Amino acid sequence: MKCVFLSDGVVSFPSDVPPPVPAKDEALIKVHRSGICGTDIEMACGYKDDFRGCLGHEFVGTVVGLGEDSDPSSHEWLDKRVVGEINIPCDACATCQQGGVLRRNHCPQRKCLGILNKSGAHAEYLCLPVQNLFKVPAAITDPTAVFVEPLAAACRILEVAILKEGDRVAILGDGKLGLLTAEVLGRYPNVTVTLIGKHPAKMQLVQHLVHTTVASDVADVTDAFDVVVDATGSSEGSTSACKLTRPLGTVILKTTCASSSSFPASLLVVKELNVIGSRCGPFQAAIDFLLKHKLSMDKYINAEIPAVRMSAAWEQAQIPGSLKVQIVFDATESTEPKVDSGVLA
């Protein structure tokens, strides 16, 4: 099968990788589309330097098979269009026994699709446990369904119940996750949200929901916000977030990157800031969010590129300022970028 393969820090685009074989209670999924994420790029830069396999964790596909001896109830998933949570807990450890978010996100023995000990979604086929799957309603198109995983990461901020009435909230970074976070927080009642970025044209995509400002205009601003979300994808983002947060305020860190970070410990102590790491979120909440607001994510897609040109998709995704690049496995034609080149400026 065709895939984006990482081994010893080198990304390749083979077409002869054997498809995965589903284990008991796993589904074999034929991938329709996958989305190239910033984490994928960081993986190639050494974020998880011992990973070997197919990259990718944002996808939509159809269940075409089940593992041998799978529970009979699993058969209801056959032929269903699905997305899937990326963390695979062991279900045996003390953390898993506590259930909830601890099991979902923090099993110490977990595998993680395309990131940790589990080959990923930039491939014609992938395997995931049936318990990780969510059916995609007919009202959600394939291009939009690929966004369920990153949108769930944005919904995680609401899941931890940090925001209070009257809060001044800033989102640092107008990349893919920053824009999706603006989609979610911009609809939260009775808070004021400001997106701070470097690309005015990209920020226009959410200006109907949030205030927007160019990062250089707030370079000297301090203590202006109750809650600041770092979605910069940069190792320097945490320092900027702490500067912008008022004393006793809250910093939410969404950035993961391979480069080393000079964490602003003194700022945290002096300003007595609350710091919350935030990663994977609730898939059902993301699906419900898309349905409730009748959202299409097409405006966030920079390019849809068929799998036969997978290397071109990878190159496109690495262009600074690029929005989402999707690899299309169920089509042979290329689609021109959907977003004006000005949005990438």
Side-chain angles (χ1 to χ4, degrees):
M1 67 178 183
K2 295 183 285 292
C3 65
V4 179
F5 198 87
L6 178 66
S7 179
D8 297 324
V10 177
V11 174
S12 61
F13 309 96
S15 59
D16 57 353
V17 173
V21 177
K24 182 178 182 292
D25 296 325
E26 279 195 333
L28 177 66
I29 299 164
K30 181 176 174 59
V31 178
H32 300 176
R33 289 173 178 247
S34 63
I36 300 177
C37 170
T39 300
D40 299 331
I41 306 300
E42 292 297 325
M43 289 286 291
C45 296
Y47 173 54
K48 296 287 185 183
D49 55 11
D50 59 347
F51 179 83
R52 184 180 187 278
C54 301
L55 291 171
H57 53 271
E58 302 175 5
F59 76 93
V60 61
T62 295
V63 175
V64 295
L66 297 167
E68 188 176 353
D69 297 325
S70 291
D71 189 284
S73 64
S74 300
H75 286 264
E76 70 174 85
W77 289 95
L78 287 170
D79 299 322
K80 297 297 190 295
R81 193 167 59 116
V82 298
V83 292
E85 285 187 346
I86 69 174
N87 292 296
I88 305 167
C90 73
D91 281 332
C93 68
T95 300
C96 285
Q97 297 312 306
Q98 295 181 68
V101 174
L102 277 170
R103 176 188 172 277
R104 186 187 75 199
N105 285 1
H106 297 291
C107 168
Q109 308 301 323
R110 70 185 178 276
K111 299 176 182 179
C112 190
L113 185 69
I115 298 173
L116 183 65
N117 298 325
K118 186 68 172 177
S119 208
H122 299 324
E124 293 182 78
Y125 295 90
L126 65 84
C127 293
L128 268 180
V130 169
Q131 64 182 1
N132 282 52
L133 302 183
F134 291 80
K135 295 173 185 176
V136 178
I140 298 177
T141 65
D142 276 0
T144 291
V146 174
F147 284 85
V148 168
E149 193 280 333
L151 189 64
C155 290
R156 174 68 178 142
I157 297 171
L158 300 185
E159 189 179 39
V160 297
I162 290 299
L163 302 185
K164 304 184 298 296
E165 183 173 349
D167 272 349
R168 301 160 299 164
V169 180
I171 302 165
L172 288 186
D174 57 15
K176 297 175 281 291
L177 182 56
L179 292 169
L180 294 182
T181 301
E183 285 276 1
V184 172
L185 300 190
R187 291 179 166 87
Y188 193 80
N190 303 317
V191 298
T192 302
V193 181
T194 301
L195 176 63
I196 301 171
K198 297 180 179 179
H199 308 91
K202 285 203 293 185
M203 292 192 287
Q204 286 179 9
L205 296 172
V206 291
Q207 66 180 2
H208 62 296
L209 295 170
V210 300
H211 302 291
T212 61
T213 189
V214 177
S216 58
D217 291 344
V218 295
D220 298 322
V221 174
T222 61
D223 303 350
F225 298 95
D226 303 292
V227 178
V228 178
V229 180
D230 170 25
T232 59
S234 163
S235 57
E236 290 79 34
S238 58
T239 298
S240 299
C242 290
K243 288 179 179 177
L244 286 168
T245 308
R246 65 161 174 84
L248 300 179
T250 299
V251 176
I252 300 175
L253 301 179
K254 295 297 276 185
T255 291
T256 55
C257 57
S259 59
S260 59
S261 172
S262 53
F263 197 70
S266 60
L267 269 177
L268 298 175
V269 173
V270 171
K271 297 176 76 171
E272 298 186 278
L273 299 178
N274 302 296
V275 179
I276 297 175
S278 178
R279 47 190 299 264
C280 303
F283 266 53
Q284 192 59 56
I287 292 169
D288 292 345
F289 184 88
L290 290 170
L291 292 173
K292 177 181 179 180
H293 300 288
K294 299 180 181 178
L295 293 181
S296 166
M297 297 284 104
D298 287 3
K299 66 181 179 180
Y300 296 119
I301 300 174
N302 179 214
E304 300 165 292
I305 298 177
V308 293
R309 297 181 54 231
M310 209 173 291
S311 61
W314 185 258
E315 291 174 8
Q316 175 73 32
Q318 294 184 80
I319 297 174
S322 178
L323 291 174
K324 185 63 70 178
V325 174
Q326 293 188 354
I327 301 171
V328 183
F329 289 92
D330 58 359
T332 56
E333 74 280 0
S334 177
T335 302
E336 293 301 313
K338 289 191 171 187
V339 180
D340 264 349
S341 59
V343 172
L344 308 180

